[in-house]
Amino acid sequence: MVLAMVGDGVNSGYAMRRQMQNMKGGRWSAESGSVYRVLRRLQGSSLVFPVRKVGVVNRERTEYELTPAGEVLVSKWLTDAPAQHELECLLDALRTRTYFLARLDPKRRTQTIKTWMAQNKKLITQLTAESATKKSDQEGWVAANLLCLAKARQDWLRKMYTEMKETGRKSAAVAKEASA
């Protein structure tokens, strides 16, 4: 990704961090220093080279460009099919939390899923509006992907909510029958 950003003209560590923070759909948790370490490693591997320093003294930023080898590697990264494990890595904070929903009592569990559905619906509305005002094809494709994922998540949440409500009804009926 850092190589591709350099190739797109986002050529300083500072500019990369700013762009990463503004990219939708990603979780860029790398520390600021991580980008600079990657740039130094890429420079050591002859994939980028420094072209100039810009800014004021003691706060200069080094700008980089791709070497021919870096250009080849970016092209390969873009065109090669991702490995299966990469495709399976769809980050979803709700999916992770779902593993632990059984810690909640059934009523609270159902209410929690209902809250998640409401929050996700807001996201769908926001992404729908944003996709109508896309600034570039790339932003439009990312927005369309996020919208598809959010809609699929909403279907999944709806199914889980329905199943939990049904399970709750069955449990209540069994408890009522047992007490009779």
Side-chain angles (χ1 to χ4, degrees), residues 38-83:
V38 169
L39 284 166
R40 283 193 300 276
R41 206 167 43 242
L42 294 172
Q43 184 179 353
S45 298
S46 299
L47 298 169
V48 300
F49 64 95
V51 289
R52 69 189 141 275
K53 293 204 180 262
V54 296
V56 296
V57 178
N58 294 330
R59 294 190 55 100
E60 294 176 318
R61 292 188 309 269
T62 302
E63 293 185 344
Y64 296 86
E65 288 186 7
L66 293 178
T67 64
E71 192 68 57
V72 168
L73 193 57
V74 169
S75 182
K76 182 174 175 29
W77 176 69
L78 288 170
T79 58
D80 284 358

Side-chain angles (χ1 to χ4, degrees), residues 34-178:
S34 297
V35 173
Y36 298 104
R37 285 190 292 277
V38 169
L39 284 166
R40 283 193 300 276
R41 206 167 43 242
L42 294 172
Q43 184 179 353
S45 298
S46 299
L47 298 169
V48 300
F49 64 95
V51 289
R52 69 189 141 275
K53 293 204 180 262
V54 296
V56 296
V57 178
N58 294 330
R59 294 190 55 100
E60 294 176 318
R61 292 188 309 269
T62 302
E63 293 185 344
Y64 296 86
E65 288 186 7
L66 293 178
T67 64
E71 192 68 57
V72 168
L73 193 57
V74 169
S75 182
K76 182 174 175 29
W77 176 69
L78 288 170
T79 58
D80 284 358
Q84 179 72 26
H85 72 276
E86 291 178 283
L87 293 173
E88 292 171 351
C89 186
L90 297 172
L91 299 175
D92 189 329
L94 296 184
R95 184 181 60 237
T96 301
R97 292 177 187 193
T98 300
Y99 281 104
F100 305 100
L101 273 176
R103 295 177 55 90
L104 302 175
D105 65 74
K107 185 174 182 177
R108 186 135 185 241
R109 193 179 315 156
T110 309
Q111 183 58 44
T112 297
I113 294 171
K114 192 173 181 180
T115 302
W116 292 353
M117 288 170 59
Q119 193 67 25
N120 194 61
K121 188 173 183 178
K122 286 181 189 176
L123 176 64
I124 291 170
T125 302
Q126 176 189 339
L127 290 171
T128 301
E130 286 178 14
S131 66
T133 60
K134 66 178 181 160
K135 296 175 185 162
S136 68
D137 284 345
Q138 289 83 353
E139 287 179 3
W141 296 330
V142 169
N145 175 261
L146 291 173
L147 184 56
C148 286
L149 293 172
K151 286 179 177 179
R153 181 189 304 122
Q154 194 72 359
D155 291 342
W156 166 68
L157 288 169
R158 197 175 299 113
K159 181 178 186 211
M160 194 168 34
Y161 178 77
T162 302
E163 287 178 11
M164 285 195 182
K165 280 188 74 162
E166 184 60 33
T167 301
R169 278 194 279 272
K170 287 179 183 176
S171 296
V174 168
K176 185 177 179 181
E177 193 174 294

